[in-house]
């Protein structure tokens, strides 16, 4: 007959007091209005809900309890999320590429005026310079982790040229690898140093929907994006990637072979940054007609706008990490920015109802 979802209607007493004495799975018969419902043999115990006189000192994620002293239902759940200001990069810039996590981030390339090769590592507190790219450039792609990153494509203003150069980072220095098949810049990126993914980009039209996979040695062309575009962001892995943003808010999911359209961003924007996975992604910053600090979360189906926006609204920034622990850095206000911000969605005790 399927699963019967329990109602708590009979647990609300006079005066609005919540009665938690039977939160053990008992299902009052008065909660069943359909006389055709038969053969109920058991109701699963609400094992995560307990009755206590004081809040547990170390609750588990998702745990729910009723505090009889305060007469309130509480849960240990993720907060709404917010951005906190961190220490600045050493070199202010925009059109930067990125890799890594919130506590082990990597920023490389970019443009504070001329395109540069500068690389910096973030340790969760401050930035330290490291070995520079062999080819200085801006609007390049990047993926991987702080000790095993990948840089590809990009644009060099002087002498002007779109590039297909690929470099691998080992935590100290960059080494040239085999070139991309499609010369381009302003693309989306995902994956690791040995399983990277590049999609979209400029100058178009060929580069705008092109997809390539990197295997740690060479690039192979794959199926195109459904919506060709530039200045987009990416998240995920080579076999489970997410492409979002650009001139439209279009979102697409990649399965290692082809792209499938999904629900669009709430705020369509270009030159945004991204973090996370295909089913738990984060989009932040960018430009509409003006700079935006809008932050959105993707759950594998749709985007929801967070109340927590970047403290410094800006496009052309770097981003890395996860949906609950991300890093945003650099960007173009203008002028070129060295700002760093950390995104956190922490587990907190939250009131779910009160008498």
């Amino acid at each position: 007959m399927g699963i019967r979802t329990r109602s708590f209607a009979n647990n609300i007493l006079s005066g609005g007091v919540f009665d938690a004495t039977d939160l053990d799975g008992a299902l009052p018969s008065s909660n069943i209005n359909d006389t055709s419902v038969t053969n109920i043999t058991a109701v699963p115990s609400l094992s995560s809900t307990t009755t206590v006189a004081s809040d547990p000192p170390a609750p588990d994620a998702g745990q729910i309890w009723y505090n009889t002293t305060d007469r309130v239902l509480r849960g240990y759940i993720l907060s709404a999320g917010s951005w906190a200001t961190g220490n600045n990069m050493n070199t202010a810039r925009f059109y930067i590429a990125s890799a890594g996590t919130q506590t082990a981030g990597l920023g490389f390339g970019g443009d504070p005026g001329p395109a540069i090769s500068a690389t910096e590592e973030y340790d969760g507190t401050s930035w330290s310079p490291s070995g520079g790219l062999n080819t200085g450039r801006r609007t390049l792609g990047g993926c991987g982790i702080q000790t095993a990153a990948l840089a590809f494509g990009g644009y060099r203003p002087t002498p002007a040229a779109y590039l297909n150069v690929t470099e691998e980072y080992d935590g100290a220095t960059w080494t040239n690898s085999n070139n991309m098949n499609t010369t381009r810049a302003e693309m989306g990126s995902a994956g690791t140093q040995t399983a990277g993914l590049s999609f979209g980009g400029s100058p178009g039209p060929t580069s705008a929907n092109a997809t390539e996979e990197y295997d740690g040695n060479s690039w192979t062309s794959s199926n195109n994006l459904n919506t060709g575009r530039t200045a987009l962001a990416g998240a995920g892995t080579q076999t489970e990637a997410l492409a979002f943003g650009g001139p439209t808010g279009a979102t697409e999911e990649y399965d290692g072979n082809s792209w499938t359209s999904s629900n669009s961003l709430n705020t369509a924007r270009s030159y945004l940054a991204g973090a996370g996975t295909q089913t738990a992604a984060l989009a932040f910053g960018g430009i509409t007609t003006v700079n935006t600090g809008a932050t959105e979360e993707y759950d594998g189906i749709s985007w929801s706008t967070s109340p927590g926006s970047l403290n410094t609204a800006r496009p052309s920034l770097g981003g890395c990490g996860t949906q609950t622990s991300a890093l945003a850095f650099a960007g173009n206000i203008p002028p070129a920015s060295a700002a760093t911000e950390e995104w956190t969605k922490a587990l907190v005790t939250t009131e779910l109802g009160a008498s």
Side-chain angles (χ1 to χ4, degrees):
M1 60 165 283
I3 297 173
R4 172 65 165 87
T5 301
R6 176 182 177 150
S7 167
F8 289 106
N10 292 332
N11 290 79
I12 307 299
L13 308 180
S14 60
V17 176
F18 188 90
D19 175 17
T21 58
D22 69 335
L23 294 183
D24 59 358
L27 186 68
S29 59
S30 57
N31 276 9
I32 303 176
N33 295 320
D34 187 348
T35 56
S36 68
V37 177
T38 58
N39 300 323
I40 296 178
T41 57
V43 176
S45 174
L46 300 176
S47 58
S48 62
T49 308
T50 56
T51 303
V52 294
S54 60
D55 294 341
D60 295 324
Q63 183 177 345
I64 299 173
W65 64 92
Y66 181 75
N67 186 308
T68 56
T69 302
D70 298 335
R71 296 201 297 191
V72 65
L73 189 67
R74 293 192 173 112
Y76 194 55
I77 59 177
L78 285 172
S79 63
S82 61
W83 292 97
T85 301
N87 289 311
N88 285 352
M89 301 189 77
N90 296 289
T91 302
R93 52 187 131 163
F94 51 94
Y95 294 148
I96 191 172
S98 52
T101 67
Q102 187 189 83
T103 56
L106 191 71
F108 44 97
D111 191 345
I116 61 172
S117 60
T119 299
E120 296 187 43
E121 296 182 349
Y122 187 71
D123 62 6
T125 302
S126 58
W127 292 92
S128 300
S130 188
L133 290 161
N134 295 300
T135 302
R137 47 200 149 137
R138 70 188 192 192
T139 56
L140 65 163
C143 63
I145 60 176
Q146 189 185 76
T147 55
L150 192 68
F152 43 94
Y155 179 77
R156 182 186 61 211
T158 307
Y162 286 92
L163 305 172
N164 59 2
V165 178
T166 301
E167 298 184 44
E168 295 182 351
Y169 182 71
D170 63 6
T173 58
W174 292 94
T175 303
N176 289 329
S177 185
N178 289 307
N179 290 345
M180 302 181 74
N181 297 299
T182 303
T183 297
R184 53 182 147 162
E186 300 180 328
M187 70 214 78
S189 311
T192 66
Q193 186 186 78
T194 57
L197 190 70
S198 172
F199 41 93
S202 62
T206 302
S207 59
N209 59 9
T211 300
E212 294 187 49
E213 297 181 351
Y214 184 73
D215 63 5
N217 179 63
S218 58
W219 292 92
T220 302
S221 296
S222 186
N223 289 307
N224 289 347
L225 285 163
N226 295 298
T227 303
R229 53 204 140 133
T230 185
L232 69 164
T237 66
Q238 188 186 82
T239 57
E240 293 184 341
L242 193 70
F244 47 96
T248 70
T251 299
E252 297 185 43
E253 296 181 351
Y254 185 70
D255 63 5
N257 179 63
S258 58
W259 293 94
T260 302
S261 297
S262 186
N263 290 304
S264 296
L265 287 162
N266 295 298
T267 301
R269 48 204 147 136
S270 299
Y271 297 106
L272 69 165
T277 67
Q278 187 185 80
T279 57
L282 193 71
F284 45 97
I287 186 168
T288 55
T289 54
V290 296
N291 291 354
T292 178
T295 300
E296 297 185 44
E297 298 173 61
Y298 185 72
D299 62 5
I301 298 175
S302 59
W303 293 93
S304 59
T305 301
S306 171
S309 293
L310 286 166
N311 295 300
T312 302
R314 59 200 192 273
S316 308
L317 68 167
C320 60
T322 68
Q323 190 184 71
T324 59
S325 180
L327 190 67
F329 48 93
N332 187 21
I333 298 175
S337 174
T340 300
E341 298 186 45
E342 296 181 350
W343 166 264
T344 303
K345 287 190 69 171
L347 285 164
V348 295
T349 297
T350 302
E351 292 190 2
L352 305 178
S355 61

